[in-house]
């Protein structure tokens, strides 16, 4: 099991980051709530990870802290929820917001997430309410803070990319349809916005 990756950021292609560890580049998928907090390319980072082994692939998912990973792991135990959908859910809402939505049986918020229909939302509440309540009671607020360990080092030069194109790609990677992704990005786009700002605002507009 790979529980943590520490190295230098080589690439950021939301929702994926590539981290160089002793010359080996690890591709890691992150919920966008974690991706927003990554430092710049060329800086050092330490990320909590969850390793998934499938017949056709070996995948790494990354998180800001152990609390977020714990929520992710509880999510993928639920019927019909795989790692990709769990990552998408935690891109639309933070781990703490998801926990509170389940505890308070807020199906309205959950169904606005891609891939989560009413039946899935109701099943999540039914299966996870007790676990989320227990996690809430056991986890201090300080453990839910969104922080990443990082050390600044000189950044590398990277080719400029169109922020809107990056935002479209990220939203579609998270499960949104192309038309929905383009519509939401165009609705929130303002001059000078970065791709991460566009993604954040587009996700907010759809929740």
């Amino acid at each position: 099991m790979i529980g943590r990756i520490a190295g230098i950021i080589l690439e950021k292609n939301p929702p994926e980051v590539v981290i160089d560890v002793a010359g080996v580049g690890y591709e890691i998928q992150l919920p966008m709530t974690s991706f927003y907090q990554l430092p710049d390319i060329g800086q050092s980072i330490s990320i909590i990870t969850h390793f998934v082994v499938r017949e056709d692939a070996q995948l790494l998912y990354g998180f800001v802290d152990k609390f977020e990973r714990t929520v992710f792991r509880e999510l993928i135990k639920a019927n019909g929820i795989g790692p990709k959908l769990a990552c998408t859910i935690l891109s639309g809402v933070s781990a703490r917001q998801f926990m509170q939505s389940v505890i308070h049986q807020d199906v309205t918020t959950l169904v606005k997430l891609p891939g989560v229909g009413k039946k899935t939302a109701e099943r999540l509440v039914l299966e996870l309410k007790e676990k989320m309540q227990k996690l809430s009671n056991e986890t201090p607020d300080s453990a839910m803070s969104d922080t990443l360990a990082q050390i600044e080092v000189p950044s590398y030069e990277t080719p400029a990319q169109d922020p809107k194109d990056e935002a479209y790609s990220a939203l579609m990677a998270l499960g949104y349809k192309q038309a929905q992704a383009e519509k939401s990005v165009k609705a929130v786009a303002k001059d000078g916005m970065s791709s991460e700002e566009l993604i954040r605002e587009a996700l907010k507009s759809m929740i």
Side-chain angles (χ1 to χ4, degrees):
M1 177 66 71
I2 301 174
R4 181 187 292 269
I5 291 288
I8 296 173
I9 295 179
L10 291 181
E11 299 177 22
K12 291 172 68 177
N13 302 301
E16 182 181 276
V17 63
V18 179
I19 297 180
D20 177 15
V21 182
V24 178
Y26 289 86
E27 297 177 346
I28 305 174
Q29 301 282 328
L30 288 86
M32 287 307 302
T33 47
S34 290
F35 192 94
Y36 299 142
Q37 300 178 64
L38 293 175
D40 293 334
I41 290 173
Q43 292 188 342
S44 179
I45 188 72
S46 177
I47 296 178
I48 303 295
T49 58
H50 177 83
F51 186 43
V52 175
V53 178
R54 302 189 327 216
E55 290 185 2
D56 60 342
Q58 296 183 31
L59 306 171
L60 274 171
Y61 291 88
F63 310 93
V64 294
D65 52 38
K66 290 183 178 180
F67 170 73
E68 186 173 47
R69 184 178 65 181
T70 297
V71 173
F72 174 86
R73 286 176 170 174
E74 292 297 343
L75 258 171
I76 61 177
K77 292 177 185 176
N79 289 325
I81 305 296
K84 183 176 180 179
L85 180 53
C87 192
T88 298
I89 289 171
L90 295 179
S91 290
V93 292
S94 70
R96 185 168 188 175
Q97 288 172 328
F98 174 78
M99 179 181 70
Q100 293 299 326
S101 293
V102 171
I103 290 173
H104 296 294
Q105 303 180 65
D106 184 4
V107 173
T108 301
T109 294
L110 296 175
V111 297
K112 293 179 180 178
L113 299 166
V116 180
K118 185 176 181 181
K119 289 184 178 179
T120 300
E122 291 173 344
R123 187 169 66 248
L124 286 172
V125 169
L126 180 64
E127 294 185 24
L128 299 180
K129 182 178 179 181
E130 185 175 335
K131 294 178 180 178
M132 291 296 104
Q133 185 64 67
K134 182 179 179 181
L135 181 61
S136 177
N137 294 337
E138 293 178 349
T139 309
D141 288 345
S142 59
M144 301 181 195
S145 62
D146 297 331
T147 55
L148 287 168
Q150 61 187 68
I151 303 172
E152 292 190 6
V153 296
S155 60
Y156 300 122
E157 292 295 328
T158 55
Q161 294 179 298
D162 188 301
K164 287 184 181 179
D165 288 341
E166 285 191 6
Y168 298 150
S169 297
L171 291 172
M172 287 187 285
L174 291 171
Y176 290 93
K177 301 295 184 183
Q178 182 176 349
Q180 187 179 13
E182 292 181 354
K183 181 180 179 180
S184 60
V185 169
K186 289 177 181 177
V188 301
K190 296 180 181 178
D191 291 342
M193 291 180 72
S194 67
S195 59
E196 292 176 24
E197 289 172 332
L198 286 168
I199 297 164
R200 182 188 295 112
E201 295 304 317
L203 286 169
K204 284 181 181 178
S205 73
M206 291 186 282
I207 299 300

